[in-house]
């Protein structure tokens, strides 16, 4: 920490044919095991251009900026079903079932590794997909904070506007800026951990 590009830090360093996002989960506005978007303690919801997003949405857009496609992801059944609806070309591996937000039934780690390895082999046995086209132009980022204080004080900075008591909006130049803003807000501390 910190990582300006969050969960895909390093994707900018080479031309990758595939990005695999393992151990992911549904976003804050969805039901699923460990559902949150970037900062479960601080963010109630994160939206880009008016749509609630999860971490796959955020980081696949960052990877796309560098021409790298997300071709495989793993998580619980709710997450995989959500991904299948939104990203039909992305292979999913469901290794657990949520029974609550912080509880679930999982296959053993050994079985999960075998399931993921088989999916990776399947993805890599096919020709690489076309490189994604980055989104041109700016995007609107809105964050609903769990506490109004964060929304109030963030608006002391130019560019941020208070949309509602708990909500801040900012116009980002691109998805890289979105990732940097979310990383900053998730990691900024006034005092170091001792």
């Amino acid at each position: 920490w910190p990582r300006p590009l969050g969960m895909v830090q390093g994707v900018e360093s080479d031309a990758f044919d595939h990005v695999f996002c393992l151990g992911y989960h549904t976003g804050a506005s969805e039901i699923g095991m460990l559902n949150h978007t970037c900062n479960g303690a601080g963010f109630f919801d994160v939206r880009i251009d008016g749509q609630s997003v999860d971490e796959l949405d955020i980081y696949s857009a960052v990877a796309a900026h560098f021409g790298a496609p997300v071709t495989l992801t793993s998580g619980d059944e709710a997450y995989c079903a959500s991904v299948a609806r939104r990203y039909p070309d992305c292979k999913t591996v469901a290794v657990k079932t949520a029974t609550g937000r912080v509880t679930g039934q999982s296959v053993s780690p050994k079985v999960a590794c075998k399931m993921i390895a088989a999916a990776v082999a399947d993805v890599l046995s096919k020709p690489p997909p076309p490189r994604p086209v980055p989104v041109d132009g700016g995007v609107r980022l809105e964050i609903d904070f769990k506490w109004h204080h964060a929304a109030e004080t963030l608006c002391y900075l130019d560019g941020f506007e208070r949309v509602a008591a708990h909500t801040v909006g900012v116009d980002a130049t691109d998805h890289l800026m979105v990732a940097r803003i979310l990383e900053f807000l998730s990691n900024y501390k006034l005092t170091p951990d001792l």
Side-chain angles (χ1 to χ4, degrees):
W1 307 96
R3 303 172 299 189
L5 299 181
M7 297 174 188
V8 291
Q9 185 67 42
V11 73
E12 76 284 3
S13 65
D14 202 351
F16 291 96
D17 292 328
H18 301 272
V19 174
F20 300 156
C21 296
L22 306 181
Y24 271 51
H25 47 77
T26 54
S29 64
E30 297 179 75
I31 295 172
M33 193 168 180
L34 300 178
N35 62 322
H36 68 277
T37 305
C38 297
N39 184 331
F43 302 162
F44 184 74
D45 193 23
V46 176
R47 291 179 301 284
I48 294 177
D49 293 334
Q51 296 294 314
S52 290
V53 294
D54 63 15
E55 292 168 6
L56 184 69
D57 296 322
I58 294 163
Y59 296 112
S60 64
V62 173
H65 182 87
F66 297 101
V70 175
T71 56
L72 182 141
T73 190
S74 71
D76 72 10
E77 287 179 348
Y79 168 74
C80 289
S82 175
V83 171
R85 285 190 304 274
R86 297 175 296 128
Y87 300 93
D89 295 332
C90 183
K91 188 165 191 75
T92 62
V93 183
V95 295
K96 56 190 159 231
T97 302
T99 56
R101 183 180 185 276
V102 293
T103 59
Q105 292 177 302
S106 178
V107 301
S108 72
K110 188 175 185 177
V111 170
C113 288
K114 285 182 180 179
M115 292 169 66
I116 293 167
V120 167
D122 181 54
V123 168
L124 295 180
S125 72
K126 300 172 180 143
R131 297 217 171 267
V133 178
V135 174
D136 286 333
V139 294
R140 177 73 173 176
L141 172 65
E142 290 186 344
I143 303 166
D144 293 340
F145 290 95
K146 291 187 176 178
W147 310 104
H148 66 84
H149 179 77
E152 183 176 336
T153 56
L154 186 57
C155 291
Y156 295 166
L157 301 176
D158 286 342
F160 291 89
E161 81 176 282
R162 195 162 183 193
V163 178
H166 293 251
T167 306
V168 167
V170 61
D171 293 318
T173 55
D174 56 25
H175 287 280
L176 301 184
M177 184 177 177
V178 167
R180 289 192 302 268
I181 290 169
L182 292 171
E183 281 294 305
F184 174 81
L185 294 176
S186 294
N187 291 291
Y188 188 75
K189 296 176 184 172
L190 293 174
T191 57
D193 291 331
L194 300 177

